[in-house]
Amino acid sequence: MTSAQVEKGSEQTSEEGYERGLGSRQVQMIAIGGAIGVGLFLGAGANIAKAGPSLILMYALAGAIVFFIMRALGELLLYRPVSGSFAEYSREFLGPFFGYFTGWTYWLMWVVTGMAELTAAAIYVHYWFPHIPQWVTALVFLVILFGVNLISVKVFGELEFWFSMVKVTALIGMIVIGLGVLTLGFSNAGDTAAVANLWQFDGFFPKGIGSSLMTLQGVMFAYLAVELVGVTAGESENPEKTLPKAINTLPWRIALFYVGALTVILCVVKWTDFAAGVSPFVKAFTVIGIPAGAGIVNFVVLTAALSSCNSGMYSTGRMLRTLADNGEAPAVFRKLSSTKTPAFGITVSVLFMGIGVVLNYVVPEKAFGYVTSVATAAGIWTWLMILVSHVLYRRAVVAGRLPASAFPAPGGAVCSWIAIVFLLFVTGLIAYDADSRICLYVMAGWAAALGVGWAVLKARNPQIAERREPELEKVG
């Protein structure tokens, strides 16, 4: 790395223009919140019915892969911390087209996730206020979160902190209550709660290993958004300290909130009592006999949905600005507001999320299912790009072409290769399943549209396809 590059890189943050407004407390909670979503609170019910107690093992396996992905991302972030990191690393290590494709695909993931979460939030409010139309609730939440994201990154971070706090507190409370039922035998479930429930009803793999593996696609959806920490890199106060800490705490978060919570629930309530469409947490509270249990969990899941939508608005604005910086989106997306937020990018993204409000008006019973599978496919692409970029970065470090990161992934590129094979296997499961296969068709159409867009961009500006020297900032 030349002295000129270092000098240039040291000014990179100020040139980006973002406010370093996310403190350690907020980055930690954004990381925790990203690992706890609606996929766990609601989706686990259907997966328990398919896999029984073995779902615990699937969450543990997928959690290990997610940790590999995050350590790969962490090494890249400490090598060069930039906002919109996935697209930037794809651009640097695979070429401009992959940066363009990854940036727009991650934008798509959050837009459709925002649609899904708005729909989910409207359904949860319907529990208390059945007379209010779904589309009205979805629109109100869309406007409120839009306003929060326009004010400043500090307000976004603070709201996300408290959203995550609600989710974390609820899960810990559920685990503590469940352990109390198991050890002390109180509540209506005291007589039947036992660790033996994990194997007494047709074994640990009651539907066979094949059926358990088929749940991996749903399990991976539950982990979407853990990579959000990477998007915060350009706005973290001390990325060299906060990012490694947030990533290194991921294993215990997965062990506690996913594996731990599911293990306790399946000990308290036998797996045959769960079904699709019913939150396992609501079911557990009902069996234990806590009167307000359903209402409490409904509030928590509402918080999870709003948290995810809030994160989506944050991510999409930053990704559009990264694309505009590289000439891959209209230049107007580069502008920052007086509060140093990419207001125009957020506004356009929110307008697209508004399609979800329209779906809630036209087909309220089907709106959620229409968009969730697309988010999963887009998320898998993003993770693959992180891993492939990491493998290529490690090669460059070994060859002496690039400086080593202050936060190297354990095992070098080996764990990244394992994660790549795993994600390709999950993609194969998606293709095998007739119900989820449609998302691959949607992604094929999306890829074709982006291909046409790239051809138009190259025709207007041939330099866009040229590799550029990255700006390096020494961190750590």
Side-chain angles (χ1 to χ4, degrees):
M1 179 168 50
T2 66
S3 58
Q5 283 175 320
V6 174
E7 226 172 275
K8 191 177 182 183
S10 65
E11 299 170 3
Q12 183 181 358
T13 301
S14 59
E15 285 171 2
E16 274 194 347
Y18 289 122
E19 178 186 8
R20 292 276 188 191
L22 294 177
S24 176
R25 171 179 64 95
Q26 293 166 324
V27 172
Q28 287 292 321
M29 267 300 174
I30 288 171
I32 291 173
I36 307 170
V38 176
L40 173 64
F41 285 118
L42 281 181
N47 287 326
I48 289 171
K50 291 178 184 175
S54 65
L55 184 65
I56 298 168
L57 183 60
M58 296 302 107
Y59 268 103
L61 174 61
I65 297 300
V66 167
F67 180 61
F68 293 164
I69 295 168
M70 291 305 295
R71 281 305 302 258
L73 177 59
E75 182 166 358
L76 291 169
L77 286 172
L78 269 290
Y79 146 69
R80 192 163 72 93
V82 286
S83 191
S85 56
F86 326 118
E88 280 300 299
Y89 301 136
S90 300
R91 182 174 290 107
E92 178 179 350
F93 295 107
L94 289 111
F97 174 75
F98 285 92
Y100 157 85
F101 194 100
T102 302
W104 277 110
T105 300
Y106 195 66
W107 176 84
L108 173 72
M109 186 195 96
W110 274 114
V111 166
V112 297
T113 297
M115 291 183 201
E117 303 299 1
L118 283 172
T119 303
I123 291 171
Y124 304 145
V125 170
H126 205 251
Y127 172 85
W128 293 299
F129 306 104
H131 302 300
I132 299 178
Q134 267 183 220
W135 72 270
V136 172
T137 312
L139 181 60
V140 169
F141 284 138
L142 184 70
V143 171
I144 291 172
L145 294 177
F146 175 50
V148 166
N149 271 272
L150 287 186
I151 296 171
S152 75
V153 69
K154 287 183 178 178
V155 175
F156 157 79
E158 199 60 31
L159 184 63
E160 197 58 32
F161 175 85
W162 290 107
F163 276 156
S164 295
M165 186 65 79
V166 169
K167 293 186 283 187
V168 169
T169 304
L171 275 177
I172 291 175
M174 179 71 231
I175 292 170
V176 170
I177 291 171
L179 290 174
V181 173
L182 281 170
T183 55
L184 303 176
F186 64 82
S187 88
N188 299 342
D191 295 335
T192 56
V195 176
N197 283 341
L198 295 178
W199 59 82
Q200 272 190 339
F201 300 93
D202 297 324
F204 191 69
F205 291 92
K207 300 287 185 74
I209 294 178
S211 184
S212 298
L213 289 174
M214 288 303 294
T215 64
L216 281 173
Q217 49 189 302
V219 169
M220 294 308 287
F221 173 75
Y223 283 123
L224 283 184
V226 293
E227 76 292 326
L228 183 62
V229 172
V231 184
T232 70
E235 291 165 278
S236 301
E237 288 177 351
N238 295 299
E240 69 275 12
K241 294 180 180 178
T242 56
L243 296 178
K245 187 176 179 182
I247 291 168
N248 277 337
T249 54
L250 186 64
W252 73 257
R253 297 200 306 267
I254 290 172
L256 178 65
F257 298 132
Y258 280 95
V259 179
L262 282 175
T263 301
V264 170
I265 283 178
L266 289 169
C267 287
V268 171
V269 183
K270 61 181 186 289
W271 75 269
T272 52
D273 288 349
F274 295 100
V278 179
S279 168
F281 294 88
V282 173
K283 178 68 177 178
F285 270 100
T286 304
V287 172
I288 290 171
I290 299 176
I296 292 170
V297 173
N298 199 66
F299 173 74
V300 172
V301 178
L302 170 63
T303 304
L306 293 177
S307 169
S308 183
C309 190
N310 188 40
S311 297
M313 289 183 189
Y314 173 87
S315 302
T316 51
R318 273 74 185 167
M319 198 55 73
L320 285 179
R321 187 166 186 249
T322 297
L323 288 163
D325 280 340
N326 288 279
E328 296 159 358
V332 68
F333 288 122
R334 295 185 63 184
K335 294 181 180 178
L336 290 179
S337 68
S338 58
T339 56
K340 297 184 179 179
T341 61
F344 188 76
I346 294 172
T347 303
V348 170
S349 300
V350 166
L351 289 175
F352 276 94
M353 288 181 190
I355 295 172
V357 176
V358 177
L359 287 174
N360 275 283
Y361 178 75
V362 178
V363 282
E365 71 287 347
K366 295 180 180 178
F368 190 76
Y370 279 161
V371 291
T372 49
S373 63
V374 178
T376 307
I380 287 175
W381 172 268
T382 300
W383 287 341
L384 281 170
M385 289 301 98
I386 291 170
L387 293 165
V388 173
S389 296
H390 178 250
V391 169
L392 295 175
Y393 166 70
R394 291 295 307 174
R395 286 183 186 173
V397 170
V398 171
R401 295 194 303 273
L402 289 175
S405 170
F407 187 47
V414 174
C415 291
S416 288
W417 276 115
I418 293 171
I420 289 170
V421 172
F422 180 87
L423 291 178
L424 293 175
F425 174 68
V426 173
T427 304
L429 293 177
I430 292 173
Y432 180 75
D433 185 0
D435 291 334
S436 59
R437 193 183 303 149
I438 188 171
C439 74
L440 298 181
Y441 300 142
V442 172
M443 288 305 296
W446 175 251
L450 287 182
V452 172
W454 182 250
V456 172
L457 286 173
K458 275 208 305 182
R460 290 180 176 177
N461 180 16
Q463 291 182 337
I464 203 170
E466 295 176 5
R467 284 181 181 264
R468 293 188 295 278
E469 191 75 17
E471 296 175 351
L472 299 179
E473 177 181 4
K474 187 172 176 56
V475 176

